[in-house]
Amino acid sequence: MKIDRRSFLSFVIGGAAGTTLSPLPWKLMDDAAIWTQTWPWTPVPEDGAVTHVKSTCTLCPGGCGISVRLIDDRPVKIEGLEGHPINKGGLCMLGLSGLQFLYGPSRVRCPMKRVGKRGEGKWEKISWEDAIALVAQTLDGLRSTNESHALSCISGSDYGTVPALFRRFFDVYGSVNFIRMPSIDDSYELVFKLMQGMMEASAGFDMENTDFVLSFGSGLFEGWGSPVRMFGANSLWKKTGVKVVQIEPRLSNTAALSDRWIPINPGTEAVLALGLAHVIIQNSLYNNDFIHNYTYGFENWKRVVVNEYSPENVEKITGIPQNVIYSLAKDFTGAKKPLAICGKGQGVHPGSASEFMAVHALNALAGSIDSEGGVWAVEKQNYIQWPDVGKDSIAEAGVRKDRVDGAGAENYPYVRYLPSRFIEIIQSAKESPVKVLFVHGANPYYSLPDSSSVRNAFEKIPFIVSFSPYMDETALHSDLILPDHVYLERYEEVLRARSFHRPIIGLSRPVIKPQFATKHSGDVIISLARKMGGYISHAFPWESYEQCLQETMGDKWAALQENGFWADETFKPSGWKNTVKAQMVKCDFSYNELFSLPHFCIMGIKREDPIYPLSLIPYDSTRLSSGFIGSPPFVIKTLEDTVLKGKDMFIEIHPDTAETYGLAEGRRVILKTPKGELTVRVHLFEGILPNVVAVPRGLGHTGYDIYLAGKGANANELIGAFEDPVSGHDGAWGIAAQLRKA
Amino acid sequence: MGQSEDKVQEMAEETLDSREEDLPHETDKNKQENGPSGPILLFFIAGLIISLLIGWVIFPKLLYSQKKQPIDFNHAFHMQEVDNGCESCHFFRDDGSFAGVPKNEQCISCHEEVLGESPNETILVEEYISKDREVPWLIYSKQPDCVFFSHAAHVKMADMECSTCHGPVGESTHLKDYEENRISGYSRDIWGNAISGLKKHSWDRMKMDDCAACHKEAAGGKTTERSPQLFFDLLSKVFPNAATPQKTEACFVCHK
């Protein structure tokens, strides 16, 4: 029997008929449909028991309470903690993305020792024992040549037990060179010290009770202070009709959300504040009771303000018309509980001391100091009561040496830390006065202004130890990385929240066991002290950081465990009548010489410079993290195409400026300042003053991970530190610049 | 008509001729013996039988792979030991969600150390509990992630027995092999053991039609929809004061 065409076809038809009568096609269709649900790239959440752990976010100084949702042992979502006094259940974009710091690829997984050149990225994994022995050996070496003071530390904070352990180690080791990263805390501390005679007080703002907000360039809704609290305040203000006036050269989100935006020439905010003071004084609009009964030196100050800050003069400098100055002064003092705020952008920059003092003086004129809806001085909580340390002779000699940055000494008597000066001194010295540098909770290599100076300074320091949990720029350029846990794996108390007006302590606690061979920096310091022995070891009687924290918190520990935070809800400022000073001074105006016009150097670079005709200002956004923490992938994805497109960063210029230079939207240009130059693209924006260039901050990372590195450019490459004549802090919020086509 | 086309036609004719010459004479014989439809029908039947065999017998064998459970668990024995039936180990959490297959945390309350002589218990204690590893149980009733199913609604609110959907698992002394569908990755028990999709017991299949059939029946057959309404009816019985949602046939009631 031969198979012909017809037989074959008949066989096929039979087969087809049989197949349709069998379950095969129907079952395959069904399975294929289910198969589409099991593709490996389709995220399928694990099933398990749901629990929530209360903790505190430490990604910025905002101090928000968080509630971490876990499925079995795995954190899957970070939410705001309901009932928390600061964020009241809300959370910002960065806080919500926190798990990407836990699971993301930017983490350093074990102690690493550099083997290649600095910054080359060649590392050798070493054990914790070897790593701590290496540091101990290096530090012993310094002590053997009586150079204990050549140990220095740059820290993100000096509040709480972890920085206190570092400082204690420095004290008993023999060095005073502990430095805190710059922020508006520096300037407000200075203001309270000079004008209210208070030490280490921080500024708290009674945002929820004010009825008029005058902001001198603060990015109120762009990450300033405690960001989530500010978003809440914005909603509240809209509901209750609180007026917000934003003074800023650029139409930022804050300006857009405020009731009135007053563009000002960059860097002249202090002049405007004193111009307003002039109008207030001339028209006797100030709070008479407060000024006459609770202040000191007002008459002298008044003379300076009245003589030098007439609206005509102020208009010339600030570019704000006189009638606006008059109306603003009247609106401000016309309100019942007005509040003036300063500290530009997200507040990670100290800024001009004169500006802070002038704005504080405005609050004084309105009687808004330590009053409802005003600015409150929040004193440091002294719960860290550890026994004094005994020191050997090397340490005794070491702590008597001057600080490298000169803070607190003759020329800079009012301040405690001068990080920019620290960098300048190291980079200009022949041989670095700092031999070993610890970096904890900070990323100075990226975040400090004038990147090229920072690079030079780092190059000169012989041994750099990074405690960063992430491969940030500082870690990349260090010699040894002793990775800390990320905040979701570790205990630490979060003392205060920036700009919050009541004492509060949050507890950041482990929600998951450490994912890698990392170690709590507090434990590293304790282990290091043990290894070094003698007095140093004796100063650290604790078995572990956790024990240290628990003992230190004392009776607050139970509340911290239970609620995730401790807050003094009933706290009220001392009020005008119960001032700390015997002579009943609540505001001291006697530093009036600081307010004289010659002190207002605008960004340290003279105006009408023919080479650099433009003013460059950096700007912050909630969509960009500009502090220690780099933006995680979720956050960086939210940037508009007019800020970052591919790897290109955009700067904002006014269409008129663009026309002068013949630039079209998206044109590639070279932006040059005396400190450096960058190739960027232009975005034409009518919401910025002509001849001003705005540069976003928080881009241009080289460290972290592939989702952040190489995108855009770092604004710090262009902006140099300019020493404030009063404080010595970096007072520059911008710089003169020039543009040309690339 | 061009020259080349003529050539083509000639060639075609030649081919036809040669075919006719080659045709064997046997074909004619066959035609005479079996009639014109004989072999064709035979081939049709052959195709039919072979494909039916493939579809009903070979395909199910190829479709599923056999996997052994990590431990051969004896349900019947444990049922004697516990007080609260299935819920002793397959319990509801405090938030009302269903815990499903127990974890070491539950086993450890009895099996921190080896109690009896069962080799399976030894495996549990030595391989999993002492090493702090969860037992990788293969779950017969696991559904794709897109399926939303609430045990509480069925067991607590509608008072259904576990065995209605899961069968008399509690009486089993061994765990059967887990037959994994090579395409979908889920157990054979979802489609049902019979490849035909027909079932004898309510627990023989766990497909959407089975949900629908039961829901329809429970609603007294009044509604022709696959009725999520039933769920809301039950809900309103349990929580009489709660606002009952509008009757809905929306897919997302069951499908995430």
Side-chain angles (χ1 to χ4, degrees), chain A residues 358-378:
Chain A
V359 172
H360 200 63
L362 269 186
N363 282 323
L365 288 174
S368 295
I369 288 176
D370 283 352
S371 64
E372 195 187 339
V375 54
W376 301 3
V378 182

Side-chain angles (χ1 to χ4, degrees), chain A residues 243-449:
Chain A
K243 292 272 168 292
V244 181
V245 178
Q246 178 74 357
I247 297 155
E248 197 178 2
R250 177 179 169 268
L251 181 65
S252 62
N253 271 350
T254 307
L257 287 166
S258 60
D259 298 275
R260 191 173 182 191
W261 167 48
I262 301 173
I264 186 170
N265 287 334
T268 63
E269 288 83 354
V271 179
L272 174 67
L274 293 171
L276 294 173
H278 176 101
V279 177
I280 291 168
I281 293 168
Q282 290 292 64
N283 294 287
S284 298
L285 297 171
Y286 51 84
N287 187 314
N288 219 1
D289 175 31
F290 183 79
I291 293 298
H292 286 119
N293 296 322
Y294 307 104
T295 63
Y296 178 77
F298 178 69
E299 290 304 320
N300 284 334
W301 183 77
K302 179 178 159 183
R303 203 170 306 124
V304 175
V305 172
V306 169
N307 288 343
E308 300 188 26
Y309 294 92
S310 66
E312 298 84 52
N313 287 345
V314 173
E315 180 182 357
K316 274 182 221 147
I317 299 172
T318 62
I320 297 174
Q322 289 180 50
N323 62 333
V324 174
I325 298 169
Y326 279 109
S327 72
L328 195 54
K330 280 175 187 153
D331 288 348
F332 182 71
T333 47
K336 277 191 188 125
K337 295 175 284 186
L339 177 62
I341 298 175
C342 65
K344 296 198 182 78
Q346 292 182 341
V348 293
H349 183 266
S352 147
S354 312
E355 184 181 314
F356 277 74
M357 292 173 78
V359 172
H360 200 63
L362 269 186
N363 282 323
L365 288 174
S368 295
I369 288 176
D370 283 352
S371 64
E372 195 187 339
V375 54
W376 301 3
V378 182
E379 283 182 276
K380 193 179 175 182
Q381 301 176 62
N382 286 320
Y383 59 90
I384 300 179
Q385 304 290 351
W386 296 337
D388 284 343
V389 293
K391 294 190 199 76
D392 58 15
S393 58
I394 302 171
E396 288 288 0
V399 296
R400 277 200 298 273
K401 292 271 191 331
D402 290 336
R403 284 177 64 92
V404 171
D405 62 3
E410 213 177 334
N411 293 329
Y412 308 94
Y414 311 125
V415 294
R416 298 199 291 143
Y417 313 108
L418 293 168
S420 285
R421 193 159 186 273
F422 177 79
I423 293 295
E424 182 52 37
I425 283 171
I426 295 173
Q427 81 126 359
S428 56
K430 228 180 201 175
E431 193 186 334
S432 168
V434 172
K435 300 282 187 281
V436 177
L437 176 68
F438 288 176
V439 182
H440 176 257
N443 184 12
Y445 198 89
Y446 171 85
S447 314
L448 286 177

Side-chain angles (χ1 to χ4, degrees), chain A residues 109 179 215 239 289 301 330 338 368 495 547 594-595 670:
Chain A
R109 300 179 174 211
I179 291 179
S215 155
K239 220 180 283 170
D289 175 31
W301 183 77
K330 280 175 187 153
S368 295
L495 182 57
Q547 187 207 351
L594 308 179
F595 293 111
I670 292 168

